[in-house]
Amino acid sequence: MFPTPIEKRSLPFNLSYRVAVWIALFLWLLPLIAVMVTSARSMADINGGNYWGIPTEWMFFENYTMVFTQTPMLRYLLNSLIITLPAVFGAVALSTLAGYALAKYKFRGNVALFAAFIAGNFVPFQILMIPVRDLTISMGLYDTASGLILFHIAFQTGFCTLFMRNFIVGLPDELIEAARVEGVSEWQIFWHVVLPLVRPALAALSVLIFTFIWNDYFWALVLVQSDEVRPITAGISALKGQWMASWQLIAAGSIVAALPPVILFFAMQRHFIAGLTLGATKG
């Protein structure tokens, strides 16, 4: 059976599309492959200049064992969890409340307040480095987990509020009005009507914010200096010695640091995709 003229014209496009996908996938995975191979190299292999070739001696198990036994990697992982989980909960909770108020309540300054949340997302956080550091020192929050948690909540709330407001504004007003007619309190409406409807959006936002905060290096470097509080992103850079860097351990630590967000994404994949596509088919 011969292809139709339309199918003949689509064959070159399909082929180029597939080639482009494979090239993009290879370029995207190349740094990850390089880090994984480096994490299995020996120190002699690296000192010998074998950076891209096949390792002469595979030390995958030995390197990952050394990361957990000879470095504070477990401490760094625990610090990241202590910082990330409360920050994600605080940012998502505050932004859901604020997004609901901006989406469903009509009050003076509503549009201006929403514009302020949008404008705050365009402020480069690097210019806030010195004021934020001075503020943490004056408040006694410098080099503490609570300081990082509070500032992560503050910096993520703007984007989260914009995200949640755009989802909640699409909910039917009739549901909320019907609940009010039945005598349901505003808090019960929020808890029993609004939250169940935006559960996919909450899951998607939680995965995104968890990844942002977990992978943060800038504020971890600016606001923390001791190993007792240092999260894993700043802790990996601390694995470099004063005179010599054990790149195989740094690579192994990087792979370990990347696992929690990846595991969370695959665990929440169904909710994440549903949250991102929520409302895409509405007319």
Side-chain angles (χ1 to χ4, degrees):
M1 184 175 182
F2 296 100
T4 63
I6 296 179
E7 291 175 342
K8 287 183 179 180
R9 289 197 298 268
S10 64
L11 286 177
F13 173 77
N14 291 336
L15 180 61
S16 61
Y17 173 77
R18 293 175 182 176
V19 171
V21 169
W22 282 107
I23 292 176
L25 181 63
F26 174 75
L27 292 178
W28 182 63
L29 292 178
L30 182 60
L32 178 61
I33 295 173
V35 173
M36 292 185 65
V37 174
T38 302
S39 69
R41 296 185 187 276
S42 63
M43 177 63 77
D45 206 20
I46 295 176
N47 292 337
N50 185 15
Y51 304 124
W52 292 98
I54 299 176
T56 57
E57 182 182 3
W58 292 91
M59 298 188 63
F60 190 87
F61 178 77
E62 293 81 355
N63 289 340
Y64 282 86
T65 302
M66 290 174 62
V67 164
F68 286 103
T69 58
Q70 300 184 15
T71 68
M73 182 58 64
L74 286 176
R75 178 74 249 181
Y76 297 151
L77 283 171
L78 181 60
N79 290 341
S80 288
L81 287 175
I82 292 173
I83 293 168
T84 304
L85 293 180
V88 171
F89 177 81
V92 173
L94 284 176
S95 63
T96 305
L97 289 168
Y100 175 60
L102 291 172
K104 296 302 181 181
Y105 287 92
K106 307 302 180 184
F107 55 91
R108 182 177 298 176
N110 185 308
V111 177
L113 188 59
F114 180 56
F117 278 107
I118 297 176
N121 292 310
F122 296 98
V123 177
F125 57 85
Q126 291 86 352
I127 67 176
L128 303 175
M129 178 180 66
I130 295 177
V132 168
R133 184 179 182 275
D134 292 342
L135 183 60
T136 55
I137 294 174
S138 63
M139 295 176 62
L141 296 175
Y142 183 74
D143 199 27
T144 63
S146 57
L148 267 179
I149 292 171
L150 288 176
F151 280 96
H152 276 307
I153 292 175
F155 284 114
Q156 298 296 338
T157 299
F159 168 76
C160 294
T161 300
L162 174 63
F163 189 93
M164 291 307 303
R165 185 263 179 194
N166 289 338
F167 277 100
I168 296 175
V169 76
L171 299 180
D173 294 333
E174 292 78 7
L175 291 176
I176 299 175
E177 293 299 330
R180 287 173 180 162
V181 170
E182 295 294 330
V184 181
S185 67
E186 294 296 323
W187 174 253
Q188 289 177 330
I189 292 174
F190 174 77
W191 186 260
H192 296 290
V193 177
V194 175
L195 281 186
L197 293 176
V198 298
R199 189 176 300 168
L202 291 174
L205 183 62
S206 298
V207 173
L208 286 175
I209 300 304
F210 181 93
T211 304
F212 293 160
I213 298 176
W214 183 275
N215 292 335
D216 173 71
Y217 176 73
F218 182 80
W219 293 115
L221 191 65
V222 172
L223 302 180
V224 170
Q225 65 178 4
S226 63
D227 283 342
E228 288 74 17
V229 187
R230 183 178 287 132
I232 194 168
T233 48
I236 290 174
S237 64
L239 296 180
K240 285 198 302 184
Q242 183 177 4
W243 308 109
M244 183 174 60
S246 300
W247 293 111
Q248 76 280 10
L249 299 184
I250 296 175
S254 301
I255 297 297
V256 172
L259 288 178
V262 173
I263 294 173
L264 180 63
F265 171 77
F266 283 107
M268 304 287 291
Q269 183 178 10
R270 180 170 62 90
H271 301 286
F272 180 78
I273 296 175
L276 292 182
T277 57
L278 184 66
T281 58
K282 290 183 179 180

